[in-house]
Amino acid sequence: MTQILYSYISEENHNYLIKKYLNEFPDDFKKKVLEYRKWQDGQLSLLGRLLLRRGLQNMSKNYEEKSLNYTSYSKPFLIDNNTKFNISHSGEIVVCVLSDMNDVGIDVEIIHEINIEDFESQMTKSEWNNMTLMGDRKSAFFDYWTQKEAVIKADGKGLSVPLKSFEVTNRYAKINDEDYFLKEIFLDEKYKCHLAFKDKIDVMIVGPNIVMIHEL
């Protein structure tokens, strides 16, 4: 089973969320949330963990906050739990993917004004040429960017794998002989979001703020 859950931040609900849920988390996480200068950053962080908890409950998985740990590449994982997960946030959206099959990665980015030329060094020649031929270069850039970031997250080695060292072609990429398939996940017209997965997948929206993924 694989699922994606997402949520929007809300200033109106911020104090409620802090008072109701923050004390349920370890002290280091509570300190991190409270130290953010912007309420948006604190709420994005808190909602990511709440979505992870909700997703595990949906999958009937036991979960304790102390079971969360990190690899040497700073990728979070669950101790004594085979569920893989990944969290991403941008703008006003936070999204969490969980899977009990294979490693997954997800990236969401708000589409905003950006100097695209600054990122040419992060893309292969083919990716760059394809992007520049698109009518909407900004949308095409974020399309490529979220795909590449999602693959990096699924691979789990972070920025130790240069973005230019692999190429995204037709929603597919390969890193160190590992195949990754990509699926665009539509959450909001103002955002781009992609899921990277080691098996081909199908996606079905089954309810508000929940997207279910089915293996083909």
Side-chain angles (χ1 to χ4, degrees):
M1 177 182 180
T2 304
Q3 61 178 319
I4 295 173
L5 301 93
Y6 66 101
S7 180
Y8 291 87
I9 59 173
S10 166
E11 185 172 10
E12 180 181 355
N13 293 333
H14 186 66
N15 288 335
Y16 168 79
L17 292 171
I18 294 295
K19 291 178 180 179
K20 182 173 178 61
Y21 295 109
L22 192 58
N23 283 332
E24 300 175 5
F25 292 89
D27 288 341
D28 58 342
F29 180 74
K30 289 191 290 185
K31 181 179 179 182
K32 175 184 174 182
V33 170
L34 294 174
E35 285 181 345
Y36 280 116
R37 294 180 61 186
K38 296 181 179 179
W39 70 266
Q40 294 93 330
D41 295 329
Q43 191 174 136
L44 285 167
S45 183
L46 177 57
L47 285 176
R49 293 285 282 270
L50 290 174
L51 290 177
L52 172 61
R53 179 191 294 178
R54 168 74 182 280
L56 289 166
Q57 290 172 348
N58 290 345
M59 300 168 76
S60 299
K61 299 284 187 176
N62 294 324
Y63 172 61
E64 295 181 8
E65 293 299 335
K66 63 182 180 181
S67 67
L68 188 66
N69 210 331
Y70 296 85
T71 69
S72 59
Y73 295 99
S74 299
K75 181 176 181 177
F77 69 94
L78 298 169
I79 301 172
D80 299 326
N81 192 322
N82 63 357
T83 302
K84 313 296 184 182
F85 73 93
N86 193 223
I87 298 171
S88 179
H89 59 76
S90 180
E92 297 182 339
I93 283 182
V94 57
V95 57
C96 176
V97 58
L98 305 94
S99 175
D100 55 10
M101 291 182 285
N102 280 304
D103 289 325
V104 287
I106 197 163
D107 190 61
V108 61
E109 299 286 344
I110 188 170
I111 301 172
H112 61 280
E113 293 300 325
I114 193 171
N115 187 359
I116 296 173
E117 281 67 27
D118 289 345
F119 296 87
E120 182 176 1
S121 63
Q122 304 297 316
M123 303 178 73
T124 67
K125 184 176 180 180
S126 178
E127 289 171 339
W128 185 259
N129 288 340
N130 289 338
M131 187 194 71
T132 55
L133 292 175
M134 299 293 183
D136 188 342
R137 292 183 66 212
K138 183 167 63 175
S139 178
F141 168 78
F142 283 104
D143 191 63
Y144 267 115
W145 191 259
T146 52
Q147 289 184 77
K148 292 175 80 74
E149 287 284 343
V151 170
I152 286 288
K153 292 180 176 184
D155 181 66
K157 296 184 179 63
L159 294 179
S160 66
V161 179
L163 290 175
K164 197 171 185 177
S165 67
F166 66 96
E167 186 167 284
V168 172
T169 306
N170 296 323
R171 310 294 184 195
Y172 167 82
K174 180 187 285 285
I175 297 181
N176 297 326
D177 296 325
E178 292 282 353
D179 296 320
Y180 292 96
F181 298 92
L182 288 142
K183 182 76 176 181
E184 183 171 10
I185 307 298
F186 180 80
L187 304 177
D188 188 300
E189 62 183 6
K190 297 178 182 178
Y191 294 79
K192 283 285 187 178
C193 181
H194 276 90
L195 171 70
F197 202 78
K198 286 187 178 179
D199 292 311
K200 290 186 177 180
I201 53 176
D202 190 19
V203 178
M204 178 177 64
I205 299 176
V206 296
N209 297 1
I210 301 177
V211 181
M212 298 300 293
I213 314 297
H214 298 275
E215 186 176 2
L216 290 176

